[in-house]
């Protein structure tokens, strides 16, 4: 009986290690190399603003569906966004993080190759956590604006209990974005 209990305990520990390793691989794929080190605990001030860190931590505990991190280049917006991503995905959340300029290039490439861009938009829209980094860094086009609108609509269609979370980073407020 003791051997069986020990065997079961070892099996559970191996499964936990395997799940943690899988989450670590997911994070490595999700988070750009330049931000692999980013965690909430190592968000430094300067350049970071302690109020921004407090705001992000409060958002994580709230039921608010999204947060926009807006500020100048180098302020730590992406650090915070990827730090939240690391925290939530380590806790088991399904998340997707992407830089908007690269996402738009990817989607245009799919269209040029006669592939379905809607599938990728649907995937992004259904993720529990979606990080859209560097919104407004791309040249505004009708297509780019349409993609962002479709993503917003897809994410808003979720059930209230679904509580999909979205993090946006930008260098300027939306009203200053071209287009």
């Amino acid at each position: 009986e003791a051997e069986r209990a020990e065997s079961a305990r070892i099996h559970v520990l191996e499964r936990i290690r395997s799940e943690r390793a899988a989450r670590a691989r997911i994070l490595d794929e999700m988070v750009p190399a330049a931000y692999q080190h980013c965690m909430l605990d190592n968000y430094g001030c300067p350049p970071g603003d302690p109020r921004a860190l407090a705001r992000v931590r409060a958002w994580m505990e709230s039921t608010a569906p999204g947060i926009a991190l807006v500020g100048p280049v180098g302020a730590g917006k992406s650090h915070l966004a990827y730090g939240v991503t690391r925290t939530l995905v380590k806790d088991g959340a399904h998340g997707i993080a992407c830089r908007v300029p690269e996402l738009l290039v990817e989607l245009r490439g799919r269209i040029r190759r006669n592939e379905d861009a809607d599938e990728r938009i649907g995937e992004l829209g259904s993720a529990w956590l979606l990080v859209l980094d560097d919104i407004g860094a791309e040249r505004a086009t009708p297509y780019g604006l349409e993609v962002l609108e479709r993503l917003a609509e897809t994410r808003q269609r979720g059930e209230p209990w679904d509580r999909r979370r979205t993090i946006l980073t930008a260098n300027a407020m939306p009203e200053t974005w071209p287009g």
Side-chain angles (χ1 to χ4, degrees):
E1 187 66 33
E3 276 183 38
R4 222 182 304 170
E6 181 63 14
S7 176
R9 186 181 78 76
I10 289 171
H11 177 72
V12 167
L13 289 174
E14 287 173 356
R15 193 174 81 228
I16 290 169
R17 275 191 221 111
S18 174
E19 288 173 5
R20 285 183 182 158
R23 284 194 204 115
R25 281 191 304 278
I26 289 168
L27 278 169
D28 287 346
E29 293 170 7
M30 277 179 58
V31 177
Y35 299 103
Q36 285 291 324
H37 72 284
C38 296
M39 295 181 284
L40 295 179
D41 292 339
N42 68 7
Y43 177 73
C45 307
D49 181 341
R51 295 170 299 176
L53 178 60
R55 185 172 163 231
V56 164
R57 287 188 187 276
W59 173 76
M60 290 174 66
E61 299 298 322
S62 77
T63 59
I67 187 168
L69 304 173
V70 181
V73 173
K77 304 173 300 294
S78 295
H79 186 120
L80 286 172
Y82 293 115
V84 170
T85 301
R86 285 190 154 311
T87 300
L88 296 177
V89 171
K90 279 184 181 177
D91 289 345
H94 166 64
I96 298 175
C98 56
R99 291 191 67 251
V100 171
E102 292 164 8
L103 171 64
L104 294 175
V105 167
E106 173 194 342
L107 294 174
R108 283 186 200 104
R110 285 178 179 232
I111 291 168
R112 279 189 207 108
R113 293 186 305 271
N114 292 322
E115 295 174 6
D116 189 6
D118 290 341
E119 181 181 331
R120 178 70 167 145
I121 292 171
E123 176 188 351
L124 294 166
S126 65
W128 184 80
L129 172 67
L130 177 62
V131 176
L132 294 173
D133 193 17
D134 278 340
I135 291 181
E138 73 285 350
R139 193 181 102 247
T141 64
Y143 176 73
L145 295 171
E146 177 190 336
V147 166
L148 294 175
E149 287 173 5
R150 287 178 57 203
L151 272 173
E153 289 169 8
T154 302
R155 295 190 65 71
Q156 290 172 356
R157 271 188 252 141
E159 299 296 328
W161 48 264
D162 191 15
R163 286 189 48 215
R164 292 181 192 164
R165 312 298 298 270
T166 306
I167 302 172
L168 310 174
T169 74
N171 294 335
M173 295 300 288
E175 60 267 10
T176 66
W177 296 346

